[in-house]
Structures are given as C-alpha cells and as structure tokens.
Amino acid sequence: MEHEPSENQPETSDSRTASEQSTADGPSPYVPAGKSVAELTIKAVGMGLALNVVMLTANMYLGMRSGMTISASIPAAVISMGLFYGLRQVGIGGSILENNIVQTMTSAGEALAAGVIFTIAGVTFLDQPINIVNTAVVAILGGLLGVLFMIPMRRYLIVDKHEELPYPEGTACADVLEAGSRGDEGVKLISVGFLAGFVYMWLANGMAAFRTTIQTAFSAGETDGFAIGGDFTPALIGVGYIIGPRIAGYVFGGGLISWMMLIPLLITGGFVPESAADAALMTQANEVWEAYIRYVGAGAMIVGGFYAVVSMRGTIADALGTAAAEIRDSGSDATADRKRTQRDLPMKVVVGGAILIALALVAVPQVQVGLLGGFIAVIAAFLFVAVSAYLVGVVGSSSNPVSGMAIATVLIAALALRSTGVTDPVVVLVTASVVAIAAAVAGDTSQDLKTGYLLGATPRNQQIAQMIGIAVSALFAGWVLSFFDQAYGIGGNTIPAPQAGMMALISEGVLTGTAQWGMILIGAVFAFVLILMDIPVLPFAVGIYLPITLATPIFLGGLLRAGIDRYVARRDDEDGTLAEHATSRGRIVAAGLITGEAIMGIVIGALYITGTGNADGAPFPIGLDAGTQSILGVVAVVALVALFTATVLWNAPETEATDQ
C-alpha cells in the first residue's frame, strides 16, 4: 500500500527530538556512528532476559483475557532506565544503547507471546492438551524466521523510508530513552503517565470502582442490533494518540461498518445463533460478530494482505536483491568499511539460517507439518513478515493484525492440506503458528530497529539480542501456556482466548466443509472496493475484525492527538517549536500510560493466579452497583483525558517560540 505513507506523513513529520535533526543522509542519531558506546553487555542481556520472561507471562495472560497484547518495548525501556539509575547510584550505571538492548530483548517475549496465544492455544479448543516441548520448538523456529526475514528489509524500510514510515512505538521508545538520558523532564512525564495508567487500572480492575467498558445496543425502527461502546483503558487511548487521528479513524470506520451496519442487517434478517436467539440485543450482537462478522474481517484481511504483498513486490524484490548482492560481496572492503550503525548480521547467516529452519519444519518430529505444510509456512512467513514490517511502520505494533495474517494462512493451509487428505486441524494450526509468530516478531523487530536507528545502535547487536530473547521466550512459552490452561482453562470466562478459538474454528471448518465462505467472500469484495477507492484496506479490515470496544478508545486517542495538535498550531510560531515540543511530550506521556497499564496487568494477573479474586470479579471489590460503576467510568475517562491534556500542554515554551 504505497499510497499510505504519504497520506499519513503530516501527522508524524518533524516530531522527534535531538535524534531527529536531519542531515542529507537522514537523521543524526543520538549516538554518532563513529562513537563507541557499551551496548550488548552482560548486564544488559541479563536484565533483558529477566524482563523478557515477565512480559511474556503478562502478555500471554492479557492477550487471552482481552484479545490483545500490549507492546513491551516502552514499558521495558522505562523499567530498565529505573534499574540503570539505581545501578548508577552505586557506581555501575549503563549507556542509552544498553537500555536499548534491554527493551529489544524484552519486547521479543511480548511479540512471541502474541503469536503463540493467537494460534497454538487453539489446540485446546480441539480437545488437545498443550504440549510444552512442541510449543517451544514451533515458537523458536517461527521467531527466528521473523528476525531473519526482516534483516534484508531493514535498510529499505527503516532507513530509506524513514520520512514515510514513522514506526510509532519505535519512535516513541526512542523518545522515552532520550528523555531519560536528558534528565528530569522526560522522567517526570513518564512518571505522570505511568502513575495515571497504574492507578486507573487498579481502581478499575483491582477494586471494581468503575467500569472501563461502556457499551450499549439499541434498535432503530424495525432494525435491531445496533451496538456501540468502548473499553476505555489508558493503553488503548495512548496507542490512538501515538498512531494519530487518520489511521485511528480508519480502524474506527471499520468498526462502524461492522457494528452499526452489518450486524444490525444480519440480526434483522434472522442471522442469529440459536444460543442468542432470545437474548438481549448486546448478547445477540456479540454472538453475530463471533459467528459471522469475524469471517468478514478475515476475508478483508486476506485481500488486504495479498494486495499489500503485491504492492510491496518492489520492496521484496529489492530486499532479495540486497541479500544476493551482500552474499556476493561478503568479506569485501565495502562490507568491512560499513559504518557501525549500518552493520547487520551477514546475509550468509540469514540465508543459511532460513534454509535450516525450513528443513527443521519438515524433519523435526515435534512440528509434524509435513513437506507441504513446511513449504506453505516458509513462503507465507516471508510474505507476511514483509507485510507486518511495513504495516507496523504505519499503524504501530498494537494495531498489527497478526491474527488476520494467521487466518489467511489457516485458510490457505487448510485448503491445500485438505486436498492431500489431511484431516487433523492441529496440523493446520501449527502451520499457521509459524507464520503468526514470525509476523509478530518481525513487526516487533522492525520497531526495535527503528528505535536503534534513531539512537545510533548497531543493528547486528539488536538482531543478536532479539534472537537470544526469542530463544528464552520459546523455552518458557509452552510452560506458561500450559499453566494458564490448568489454572483457568483456556476458552473459559477468565481467559476466553478469542483469536485462538477463531483459528481452531476456521481450521476445523475448512477441513470439514463448514466454514462461512459467504462471509469471507463479502469481506473480500469489501476490501476490493476499498482498493478501487484508494483507501487503506488493512486498517479498515482490522476495525471490522476487532470488537468495537477496542476501536473506539483508539479513535478517542487519535481525536485527542488531533485536538492538541490543532490547539498548539493556533499558538505556534512559523518554526513549529511549540508543536514539536507538544508532540514529543504527548508521546512520552502516552508511553507512560501504556507502561502503567501493562505493569498493573501483571499485578492483577498475579493476584488471580494466586487465588485472590475470581474470574467474575476484582481481587478487592468495594461493592458498587453496575449503574454507579458505569457513571464513574465516564468520569474516569474524562479525568484521564483532562490529565493527559494538561500534562502535555503544561509549561509549554511559549516565550521560546515567540521570541524566535
């Protein structure tokens, strides 16, 4: 989708701080290429691995409970800054590039968790137990494919397309790390956001003082089933602020198509599952969304994904050409003299590693996808790694439709394997797992490499750190998944794991001939119409596929960004000093909100695991009724937005902008 970056550039241009001061060759990194700074050190690796396991566990729980994970890069950066600050007090300390290695390794656990819970967890819906060893093998193979396939695309996507692809989380993470290294202001902004997100989620999920989810369903004339609402959490609002109003609007537009048009039409037409036939409108809307609309979103994602691959054929060809050229020139003077900030892992390692993984997918008993399944997994992984790495550059990792790519793989693999006589849906799920994990890891890797590019990190060191983080995450992933299944039961009230259930449903449906092909075709036609109208397909498809409760708070965050930008623009001077200052502050506060919610998610998850609270209630409820909780929920959202706005605009450099 080559038209998307230029459409979104006004939202993201010139919003960086010191590291964004451009030269003819691109932005000047925070650490110059000619300067040697501690980076891949023992203390950075140790700290990164410890946080890696924590974020893996937290995001597995949150992802299966809420249907989405939270990017771990920014929380890890903030935590590591605090740890390094403590070490500095005893004379040890650490560099900004060591901080970057910590967040790179930590985010590997979050990315791998997303791929695992969206696919491998689906075996429980097929009455199969979680196999710890098999999960570890599939996870490490898929994760390493994601890193290796991203390497030849790094220079084109991260460097050459720097002005067009903002990589919101990667850029925000660089802001956070720079702010922490510059001094008090950045730390204060992060702290305000962190405390707001932390306290907000404790009051909501820890004490049930208010509801974060506010939704309703209603009728209009003879048409039933209109539904609207939102899960107004700090992280989702923060993500919306970071990606900006345009992309947030596309996602919300897709949600409106689903919940204010398609679902009412289906309910009025009698397309309601028997389990919800006599239920309330909200229950009916949710049942119709799960039974039909997600297939529409899947169909749109399939067309959008393939269109993105076709649109990126030049990028993929360039990446392959770069890989071939670097293999030929391996060991030459040009390669040896390359700047530190331009050194990737050698292409021989990339190609050799990919070949070994492809062979392992076919030969290793724990994978068991066969020759055809292995071929599909490798080809689909390469294509969707390209799509994922590009897409997160526009909409961010939090809106990366990994599950949509997995659905596309499930459909392709199921159809192909069915033609060869395969009847076991677990084989289809494992094939899709490799692709989903690779796509999730590639999106995360590209964000981390963007952070490193802005800070002046060595790409090779980050790639090595990512691989170490993936290896450790994979070893723990099966055990953590099995633990949650034994503790709560995957698919139950506490951890419903909606994406995993969808993957199992589709894989079994295709193999048995019960899939909703009509709905998939509707989504495909809808995506084709969007392409003809020159409208970005994947953000709309994400909105169709996701519950409206996720699209609405993201849109609210985008509106908040638009409002602050417009207010600042009226007061700003021609040089844009005030606008740049406000944008940078907003990203840092948004990063704090995401961090606070993520950490509180770990706390609440630990309380549930240890038996405090239950699947239907908060650990320490204060006993308010539902009506009061809803009213206080609205008050809490308004207060959060007001605090965010005041923090961003507080102490803005008016005199500096006007004096110039």
Side-chain angles (χ1 to χ4, degrees), residues 338-395:
R338 186 169 292 163
K339 290 182 180 179
R340 176 184 61 80
T341 53
Q342 297 176 2
R343 296 173 188 164
D344 294 288
L345 284 172
M347 285 301 125
K348 286 185 177 180
V349 173
V350 174
V351 175
I355 292 173
L356 289 175
I357 291 172
L359 293 174
L361 287 173
V362 177
V364 174
Q366 283 79 10
V367 182
Q368 297 176 336
V369 297
L371 183 61
L372 180 58
F375 177 79
I376 293 172
V378 172
I379 298 301
F382 179 77
L383 295 177
F384 284 127
V385 159
V387 173
S388 177
Y390 180 89
L391 187 63
V392 299
V394 181
V395 302

Side-chain angles (χ1 to χ4, degrees), residues 453-513:
Y453 174 64
L454 295 170
L455 295 178
T458 306
R460 180 171 55 194
N461 288 339
Q462 284 190 274
Q463 291 153 6
I464 293 172
Q466 192 85 10
M467 289 182 175
I468 296 172
I470 285 167
V472 172
S473 299
L475 293 176
F476 281 90
W479 183 87
V480 173
L481 197 62
S482 177
F483 174 79
F484 282 136
D485 187 35
Q486 294 176 30
Y488 296 116
I490 295 175
N493 291 330
T494 302
I495 45 177
Q499 284 88 345
M502 184 65 170
M503 302 302 167
L505 178 68
I506 293 177
S507 60
E508 191 172 38
V510 172
L511 292 177
T512 59

Side-chain angles (χ1 to χ4, degrees), residues 85-86 91-92 99 106 110 186 388 443 499 540 562 586:
Y85 177 80
I92 300 176
N99 257 323
T106 302
E110 171 266 327
S388 177
Q499 284 88 345
F540 259 104

